Each structure stands twice: as C-alpha cells, then as structure tokens.
Amino acid sequence: TGGSLDAKNLKVKLVLLGDSGVGKSCIVLRFVRGQFDPTSKVTVGASFLSQTIALQDSTTVKFEIWDTAGQERYAALAPLYYRGAAVAVIVYDLTSPESFTKAQYWVKELQKHGSPDIVMALVGNKADLLDRREVPAQEGMEYAEKNGMFYIETSAKTADNINQLFEEIAKRLPRPES
Ligand code: GDP
Ligand code: MG
C-alpha cells in the first residue's frame, strides 16, 4: 500500500479529505512550507506536494500529499483520488458541526473503499478559534477511538500540532520487514 522504499526510508501517499473550507490546504502549506496565508485561495490541486520527515530512530518518511482542487464541494471524490493511499487525514473545522458530520461520512467511505491497512487520522482544525468551538474535543476523540483512528486538534494558523500530526502518522505506519 502506498509504496515504500525500504525498511528505513518509507514513501507513502497521503490524502486529505473533508468539507470544503475546513483548512486542508492550509494544513498542507503549513506543514510543507511553514506558511499560513489567510487571503490566498490555495489550490494545491492537480500536482502533489511532498515533504520528508526524520524520526528519532533515524528512519525517514516521505509523504506524497494529495490535496483536492476543491472537488469535495461538488460530488463524491473519485475513489481514484484515495486509491493506494497509505494515509488518510480526515479534517473537520471544530467550529462547524456540519463539517464533523461530513468527516464521519469520509471515514465510512474509506472503511468501505480504502486500503485495508490504511492509517487514518481525524483532525479537528481551527483550534485557535476556541471561543467559537461547537464540536467538543470529547466527541472527536470518542469517534476516532471507536473507528481505530487517532485524533488531534490543530491550527494551521498558529501551527499548533501541525508537525505533531505528521509525526504521529509516521509512527503508526506499518513497517516493511527488513
Ligand atoms: P480547504 O477547502 O479545506 O482546503 O480549506 P482552506 O485551507 O482553503 O481554508 C479555508 C479557510 O479557512 C481559509 O480562509 C483559511 O484562511 C481558513 N483557515 C484554515 N485553517 C485555519 C486555522 O487553523 N485557523 C483559522 N482561524 N482559520 C483557518
Ligand atoms: Mg483546499
């Protein structure tokens, strides 16, 4: 699944899923470029971005990150998009209950059609807007636990937990036998 180089250096396909506007593209740009631009209409789009991280055990993980060009707005994303993905990052906006409902739809979709050994993360983004929170952390956490995912709250705006998100994913990846 997702392609790997060898036991010490993994290469994995990572897809982002979630409602339009929850901050998927901003999470990617924060992680890959260290930037947050609230005004730009970010469309990573057709091509993907990649970023390599080194873990403490001196292994590396190269993420090939697929972001949508906004197709999530119109219809069910083609299974082509997540085919072969080793990782799915499912994002909602913790100020938007609708986006949390949509995230659950994506989880079910991936459970039905994704790779059986896919690593899934549930991300409550916009954690800098705590005074506008509408989805309690407990709800996200419980849903994630029930579905064998890990849960994290992030802010692409402040960079809070962005690197941690990808590090946690890297640690959970199945390792090929060396
Ligand atoms: P996408 O449609 O899921 O890719 O969402 P975008 O990355 O394009 O972000 C949608 C809007 O949410 C933009 O106006 C961003 O500036 C804003 N946004 C994204 N992440 C955050 C965040 O962590 N905090 C806040 N306050 N706004 C965010
Ligand atoms: Mg986007």
Side-chain angles (χ1 to χ4, degrees):
T1 303
S4 62
L5 297 170
D6 55 56
K8 298 224 73 171
N9 303 286
L10 298 184
K11 188 180 80 169
V12 297
K13 174 178 173 180
L14 179 153
V15 294
L16 289 120
L17 292 164
D19 242 354
S20 186
V22 296
K24 300 181 296 299
S25 297
C26 287
I27 288 172
V28 174
L29 286 194
R30 171 59 83 183
F31 174 55
V32 174
R33 302 208 182 120
Q35 297 170 348
F36 178 77
D37 181 352
T39 60
S40 80
K41 271 276 136 250
V42 196
T43 299
V44 176
S47 63
F48 55 71
L49 290 174
S50 71
Q51 176 76 316
T52 302
I53 64 173
L55 295 179
Q56 276 178 344
D57 60 0
S58 82
T59 60
T60 66
V61 176
K62 180 178 186 181
F63 290 109
E64 296 185 337
I65 303 172
W66 294 47
D67 188 18
T68 73
Q71 303 97 323
E72 72 274 23
R73 219 184 287 264
Y74 306 108
L77 272 180
L80 254 185
Y81 175 72
Y82 49 80
R83 180 172 302 161
V87 181
V89 174
I90 296 162
V91 185
Y92 66 94
D93 169 351
L94 52 72
T95 72
S96 160
E98 297 77 20
S99 74
F100 183 55
T101 302
K102 195 61 189 278
Q104 297 174 27
Y105 161 83
W106 284 117
V107 171
K108 290 186 197 105
E109 187 76 7
L110 268 283
Q111 286 169 344
K112 269 186 269 174
H113 303 297
S115 312
D117 56 351
I118 196 165
V119 172
M120 291 202 277
L122 182 65
V123 176
N125 189 44
K126 309 198 184 182
D128 56 289
L129 301 178
L130 277 187
D131 53 331
R132 289 170 44 192
R133 177 198 285 277
E134 294 211 35
V135 183
Q138 188 71 18
E139 267 189 53
M141 222 178 291
E142 279 173 9
Y143 182 79
E145 199 171 313
K146 228 185 295 171
N147 287 278
M149 317 166 74
F150 84 92
Y151 177 71
I152 192 165
E153 295 192 344
T154 59
S155 169
K157 185 174 183 178
T158 66
D160 197 33
N161 270 348
I162 297 292
N163 287 336
Q164 287 84 345
L165 163 64
F166 290 90
E167 279 162 22
E168 283 303 318
I169 290 166
K171 285 186 207 158
R172 286 171 165 78
L173 289 170
R175 298 271 157 178
E177 301 300 323
S178 44

